[in-house]
Amino acid sequence: MTTLSLKSTPEDIARAGEILSRGGLVGIPTETVYGLAADAFNGSAVARIFAAKGRPMDNPLIVHIADFDDIERFKPVREIPEAARKLAEAFWPGALTIIMKKSDRIPDEVSAGLDTVAIRFPSHPVAREIIRASGTLLAAPSANRSGSPSPTTAEHVHADMDGRIDAVLDGGACDVGVESTVITVADGVPRVLRPGGVTVEQLREVLGEVEVDDAVLHKLAEGQTAASPGMKYKHYAPKAHVVLLKCGDEAYIDYINAHAKDCAAALCCDEDLLLLNVPCYSLGSRGDWSAQAHRLFDSLRRLDENGVTGTVYARLPKTDGVGLAVYNRLIRAAGFEVIELEEV
Ligand code: TXA
Ligand code: MG
C-alpha cells in the first residue's frame, strides 16, 4: 500500500476524513504526539491499527472527540461521573485522557475486553478538524511501531508506518512531545495511570485526592496486573543501552567524563554541552521539564538514526510537575537501569 502524504489544507483534511469514514487508517497530529487513527465504532478498522503497529490486542485504545458535546452525541460512555466533568472543565481540550465506564457502542477491539474506555479531547485544531471531517469518533494510539518512541513529527510517522497505513497528515511538530496524562475515574479514588503534560499537582488542585498508580514509577513485579495495560510492555527503547544516573549536576558530568571511553553518547542539558567530552544530545535547559518532554522522543529516535548502539547516560529526572512524565518515559527507555552516585 502507498501511504499518502497529506497537508493541513481544507482539501487534505476533508480527504483524511473521507479515508477514515471508509474504514482507513490515517496518522494525525495532536498537541501531544502523532496518533494512528481509525473510526472508533468500526471494529475491523480498529483491528488494522493493531496489525500496523504490531500492538498486542490486550492494550486498549484512546477514543478522541472534537467537542465535549460529542460524548452526548456518540455516547461512548455509560455516564459522565462528576469527577470527569470537573476535569473536563479544567483541562479540556488538552493533554488529559479520562477513563470512564464504556457504553455498548464501543467495540471490544477498542477497549481490549475491559469495561472502560479512555476519552481524550485534543486541543490541536487540525486534530479536531479531522475528527469532525470523519463524521465519527477516532480511536488512536501513538503512531509508532509498538515498542518505539512515540512520533512527534510527520516524518517520524512515515519512518515507522510507510506502506502500512493509508495516509499521514502533516500538522507540524507536536507541542508537548510526550503522550497525554491518563487518569481513571471509573471507580474509587481517581488514579493517574500515565503521567503527561497535565501534572498530578494540577489534578489534585481540581479533585483533591488523586492516587498515582504503582506502575508509573516502578517496574511491575512478575504476575502483577497493570491498571493500564500499556505500562507492562517495554517502551520507548532505542537500540542504544540507556543508563540513568541518579546524582547532582557535577557528579553527572564527572561520571560521564571519567567513563567517556565506554560512553557512546549523553542525553544531557544545554548547560552540560561545553562540559562533557562525549557526543551530546541535549533535551533542553536543566529543570525545564516541558522543554525536555518536548525533545525527549526526537532525541531517542536520533540515537537510532545515528546508529548509536553503545551505552548512553542520562540523568534520572525529578518526579515533580512534568518531570514525572519525563521520568516515566526515560526509566522505561533505560529498562529501569539506574546507577545511584549520591543523594540528590
Ligand atoms: O497523547 C496521547 O494520549 C496519544 C495521542 C495520539 O492522543 N495517544 C496515546 O495512545 O498515547 P497509546 O495507545 O499509545 O497509549 C494509551 C495508553 C496505553 O498505555 C493504554 O494501555 C492506556 O492508555 N489505556 C487506554 N484505554 C485504557 C483503559 N480503558 N483502561 C486502562 N488503560 C487504558
Ligand atoms: Mg503509545
Side-chain angles (χ1 to χ4, degrees), residues 33 53 55 59 141-144 148 150 179 194 235-236:
V33 301
K53 276 181 67 89
R55 181 178 174 107
N59 195 359
S142 50
N144 51 290
S148 296
S150 296
E179 308 89 336
R194 180 177 72 184
H235 233 125
Y236 316 119

